[in-house]
Amino acid sequence: MSSVFDYSGLLNEVVQECRKHAERGQLPSYIPELKKADPQMAGVAMMTARGLFEAGDTRQNFTLQSISKVFSLLVALERRGVEVVFAKVGSEPTGDSFNSIVKLETSEQKPLNPMINAGAIAVCSLIPGASVEERFSLISGLLESILDRPIEIDEAVYLSEKETGHRNRALAYFLKDINGLEGDVEEVLDLYFRQCSILVNCADLARIGMFLAAKGINGAGTPIVSANAVRLVSTFMVTCGMYNGSGEFAIQVGIPAKSGISGGILGVVPGQYGLATYGPALDRKGNSVVGISMLRRLSDVLDFSIF
Ligand code: GLN
């Protein structure tokens, strides 16, 4: 693309065109607080070497949810090392939904990958620290050094999930039983629910995407995590970042991406830009309908598939 390409014009067009697809999706019902979102919202942001471009509801805050799995994995890889992490979690896609319990017993006795809930909970248990606060500060600190601002959580979402996260609780206790989880189960769950409740908007997510696109270097040019950790995490984003929708997404969009149940998607075009979309209505796999359609459209126009 030439340096004068009108990214703002393109993003505006894409939001207008794709917003209508919200009718094809639904708000998640299993975390009561998330049902309060406005399904008509749609935002898209792109962080490039030329700066931030955005269109639609890009300043609406939402919780990271599963997108947080990217950051706890980065912290665990950096603090505990590749071997310790892969002793507790595998690296294969599951083909099942993100909160499925079924393969835990029938496969290798460890979660198949760190992007499903079971895997992310196992990864959370590896984050070092004397208290949940101390462990959480490693995750929030990573985000603070990328975004250069303090991180907050949505207290209501955190409490809602803590109260109703029965399936995550079941996954965590099962993991404990098979020696898949370090430390106290309730503390690990608390950390997981906190990281899921971190508040961001599309503009933040696009910056984070650019940080990953730049192999772990923040906007000020400071290396924050190793290029190898970013490589591993980006690979998981390609193979498992959209759960059991990852294969179709790789064909249609073709970039490392991670979705969350509150409707955000973080996208990375390696070496080029960070992308972010928001649209709370979800498809049956738990991915944002509007977000995927916006990313498909952008991939068609900008031809950024890595494949
Ligand atoms: N907090 C959510 C859960 O644990 C995250 C899942 C998601 O975003 N897909 O169920």
Side-chain angles (χ1 to χ4, degrees):
M1 278 302 135
S2 88
S3 59
V4 292
F5 186 84
D6 179 15
Y7 288 123
S8 297
L10 173 63
L11 297 184
N12 271 308
E13 215 181 284
V14 163
V15 172
Q16 271 173 32
E17 202 182 292
C18 299
R19 201 187 274 276
K20 60 174 183 287
H21 298 313
E23 2 178 284
R24 297 206 314 252
Q26 280 193 332
L27 292 175
S29 53
Y30 76 104
I31 302 175
E33 199 59 26
L34 295 184
K35 272 196 287 191
K36 296 182 182 163
D38 174 0
Q40 297 307 321
M41 289 239 168
V44 57
M46 182 170 182
M47 186 72 189
T48 76
R50 282 167 51 203
L52 182 71
F53 298 89
E54 51 188 316
D57 304 306
T58 53
R59 300 301 162 127
Q60 171 65 37
N61 282 338
F62 54 89
T63 51
L64 275 177
Q65 295 301 330
S66 274
I67 302 172
S68 64
K69 294 168 180 171
V70 165
F71 312 109
S72 43
L73 180 58
L74 281 173
V75 171
L77 286 168
E78 292 290 87
R79 300 277 170 158
R80 303 294 302 273
V82 174
E83 263 179 45
V84 172
V85 171
F86 288 109
K88 289 281 187 247
V89 78
S91 47
E92 297 301 339
T94 66
D96 302 317
S97 65
F98 65 84
N99 54 6
S100 177
I101 201 161
V102 66
K103 294 235 167 73
L104 263 191
E105 195 178 19
T106 57
S107 63
E108 298 170 54
Q109 299 270 304
K110 66 181 178 186
L112 280 174
N113 70 68
M115 298 288 131
I116 50 171
N117 288 10
I121 292 168
V123 166
C124 270
S125 83
L126 301 176
I127 295 187
S131 62
V132 178
E133 285 73 23
E134 215 176 294
R135 293 161 181 227
F136 181 71
S137 73
L138 294 178
I139 300 168
S140 59
L142 168 62
L143 287 164
E144 283 168 0
S145 53
I146 302 170
L147 295 174
D148 194 25
R149 67 160 177 82
I151 290 299
E152 282 171 23
I153 66 166
D154 183 323
E155 205 64 34
V157 172
Y158 162 66
L159 293 173
S160 180
E161 213 175 329
K162 206 171 150 97
E163 203 179 300
T164 60
H166 311 302
R167 185 180 279 252
N168 285 325
R169 215 160 246 116
L171 289 169
Y173 278 96
F174 189 91
L175 281 171
K176 187 71 187 173
D177 184 61
I178 60 173
N179 195 27
L181 187 143
E182 283 187 8
D184 180 79
V185 182
E186 287 300 326
E187 275 185 28
V188 171
L189 282 164
D190 193 25
L191 178 61
Y192 175 74
F193 295 139
R194 280 190 212 207
Q195 72 169 34
C196 287
S197 315
I198 290 174
L199 280 166
V200 291
N201 59 35
C202 274
D204 294 326
L205 269 193
R207 284 201 173 85
I208 295 169
M210 184 66 177
F211 158 81
L212 295 172
K215 297 186 181 170
I217 295 173
N218 74 3
T222 312
I224 307 292
V225 291
S226 70
N228 192 47
V230 173
R231 180 183 66 81
L232 291 170
V233 165
S234 305
T235 311
F236 277 120
M237 289 169 76
V238 169
T239 55
C240 321
M242 307 295 282
Y243 314 110
N244 44 339
S246 298
E248 197 178 353
F249 186 84
I251 287 170
Q252 294 175 338
V253 183
I255 53 168
K258 183 74 206 82
S259 63
I261 202 92
S262 59
I265 302 177
L266 162 68
V268 181
V269 183
Q272 295 192 59
Y273 21 76
L275 291 167
T277 60
Y278 177 57
L282 308 176
D283 64 19
R284 277 184 306 164
K285 293 175 175 168
N287 297 320
S288 167
V289 181
V290 173
I292 290 184
S293 63
M294 293 194 287
L295 289 169
R296 275 184 75 170
R297 185 85 182 87
L298 288 175
S299 182
D300 285 346
V301 176
L302 298 170
D303 194 22
F304 56 51
S305 170
I306 62 169
F307 299 107

